[in-house]
Amino acid sequence: MVTIKEIAKAVGVSSATVSRVLNYDATLSITEAKRQAIIETAEALNYLTPRNRPRPHRPQASSDHAGARIGIVHFLRPEEELADPYYIGVRMGIEARARANRVEVQVIYRSTELPPAEDLQGAAGIIALGMHTDAEIDWVRHINANLVLADFAPNIDLFDIVACDLSFAMARLLDRLHAAGYRRFGFLGDDRPSGNVLYPSNEERARTFREWTEKKGLFNPAHYMLAERLRFESGYRLACELMAKTDLPEIVVTSNDNVAIGAYRAIQERGLRIPTDIAVASFNDIPAAQFLAPPLTTVRIPAERIGENAFDLLMEQLNGRDYVKRVTIATELIWRDSCRRPDGEA
């Protein structure tokens, strides 16, 4: 496990500064460049660390396209990506694989308008990162037929896709929490569909939470709190609203770790203890998750592996594969001290 001290040493700042950045301390005065360096270094060190188990050697994609250039079309603006380290991990996975194969990467971040097609002229292929609109996907596919969708799995069979099965992951998490004795569940997150018509997609974590708790007879609409963005600020706001209620759930499940960090602050500001008074579990396993007090139980979504596989799929297309692939990356439940775990579960 990487330590705050190691991150601080790599960036050249104090351990306290790293801790405050990773915990979204809004009172910290620090440049955006330094903040980005801390978050990217934390992600990179986790990426390079074995994370308590050896990984088998995995052959890299063919380097037949050394010297080529590919594009990453990001669904976030730079400042939005900085606020969600998970997507930094996906991008870094693509970039690391590209460097190993001597392929250049050009990143196009989201803006208020679609960028000129000339911005990606000459790119051998494109990886669309995150949940894009119909118009954005159509714009990309008309620029270049070599297209991979990374961490976005619309209900279509037109493109290569690499993502995790979030519905399965949520159901498994709830099953294990139920086995640990929890019965009063709360949810903080987002349940909106993508809004796309041509490339429809739903927020599977929220939908599965509701379906699972309804099936068990445990759904409480007062504890099902929704926001439009999965950010620290929305997690804090939703948790404040939840804490104002007379009855509280035993455990809160959040759509991602950013929301969980906001929930931590709201819970602890009210003098409540995690997990004694209210437990928390989440998704993503961003670097900050292991440094919270207590460390956060979360479903690890291997962001870097999604990026790596997206790059590999694109190289396969460039090498002549003529059929569509859909790759599902497995998740892993990481038990930490923010909730109970079933007896005998490591």
Side-chain angles (χ1 to χ4, degrees):
M1 181 182 294
V2 67
T3 67
I4 284 181
K5 185 176 180 181
E6 290 170 326
I7 299 168
K9 182 179 179 180
V11 181
V13 297
S14 69
S15 296
T17 297
V18 172
S19 178
R20 292 173 69 183
V21 167
L22 294 180
N23 285 278
Y24 295 86
D25 186 343
T27 66
L28 176 63
S29 178
I30 187 173
T31 66
E32 286 305 302
K34 188 66 75 172
R35 186 184 302 274
Q36 181 170 358
I38 291 170
I39 292 174
E40 290 195 355
T41 300
E43 185 61 46
L45 288 177
N46 267 340
Y47 177 65
L48 295 172
T49 298
R51 289 195 178 186
N52 301 322
R53 65 178 187 180
R55 288 198 183 100
H57 174 71
R58 184 174 184 270
Q60 292 185 341
S62 169
S63 58
D64 293 346
H65 298 279
R69 175 170 58 89
I70 65 169
I72 298 176
V73 177
H74 211 306
F75 85 118
L76 295 176
R77 298 181 176 88
E79 67 276 10
E80 292 174 329
E81 185 198 49
L82 187 58
D84 195 341
Y86 169 77
Y87 289 103
I88 292 176
V90 179
R91 174 174 58 79
M92 290 177 68
I94 299 170
E95 292 173 342
R97 192 65 125 216
R99 281 194 302 272
N101 288 277
R102 302 191 302 281
V103 171
E104 180 186 348
V105 176
Q106 176 186 4
V107 182
I108 304 293
Y109 286 97
R110 188 172 201 164
S111 62
T112 54
E113 298 179 354
L114 294 176
E118 292 77 16
D119 286 0
L120 287 168
Q121 187 173 9
I126 298 172
I127 297 173
L129 172 53
M131 188 174 70
H132 288 274
T133 65
D134 283 342
E136 290 165 344
I137 296 174
D138 275 343
W139 174 78
V140 172
R141 68 183 297 209
H142 283 105
I143 291 174
N144 198 312
N146 297 315
L147 173 63
V148 177
L149 306 185
D151 200 58
F152 176 43
N155 303 318
I156 54 170
D157 290 318
L158 297 176
F159 314 116
D160 282 4
I161 291 171
V162 54
C164 294
D165 187 339
L166 296 180
S167 179
F168 172 82
M170 174 61 86
R172 181 181 61 175
L173 171 63
L174 294 172
D175 283 341
R176 303 316 299 145
L177 293 173
H178 191 268
Y182 290 106
R183 295 296 182 270
R184 300 197 313 278
F185 290 87
F187 178 82
L188 307 180
D190 178 12
D191 72 343
R192 295 175 304 152
S194 64
N196 290 353
V197 175
L198 298 176
Y199 315 111
S201 178
N202 293 308
E203 217 310 316
E204 296 295 333
R205 286 163 290 197
R207 182 184 63 80
T208 303
F209 176 91
R210 180 160 189 160
E211 290 177 354
W212 187 96
T213 51
E214 286 179 339
K215 185 176 180 179
K216 295 280 188 180
L218 301 175
F219 179 71
N220 184 340
H223 294 162
Y224 188 70
M225 314 287 291
L226 304 175
E228 291 186 357
R229 288 182 175 268
L230 301 180
R231 299 284 188 265
F232 160 81
E233 296 83 0
S234 56
Y236 178 77
R237 177 178 59 80
L238 292 178
C240 285
E241 294 176 10
L242 183 61
M243 295 302 105
K245 299 181 183 296
T246 56
D247 65 320
L248 294 178
E250 296 173 284
I251 185 165
V252 169
V253 177
T254 68
S255 284
N256 70 13
D257 296 343
N258 289 5
V259 175
I261 291 170
Y264 262 56
R265 184 164 298 178
I267 292 167
Q268 292 169 340
E269 281 181 354
R270 280 151 184 79
L272 299 176
R273 296 166 298 169
I274 302 170
T276 306
D277 298 315
I278 185 167
V280 182
S282 186
F283 279 79
N284 283 4
D285 195 29
I286 63 174
Q290 60 188 298
F291 300 126
L292 295 176
L296 177 63
T297 291
T298 184
V299 175
R300 177 177 293 159
I301 300 178
E304 299 91 349
R305 306 294 169 242
I306 291 175
E308 290 171 353
N309 278 270
F311 177 86
D312 291 350
L313 289 178
L314 189 56
M315 292 301 103
E316 289 178 10
Q317 289 184 28
L318 298 181
N319 288 333
R321 174 168 51 80
D322 60 357
Y323 58 91
V324 173
K325 269 191 178 182
R326 193 179 187 101
V327 175
T328 300
I329 305 297
T331 60
E332 181 183 3
L333 178 51
I334 306 299
W335 291 104
R336 298 193 180 105
D337 295 337
S338 65
C339 68
R340 298 191 304 270
R341 65 189 72 186
D343 291 340
E345 190 128 355

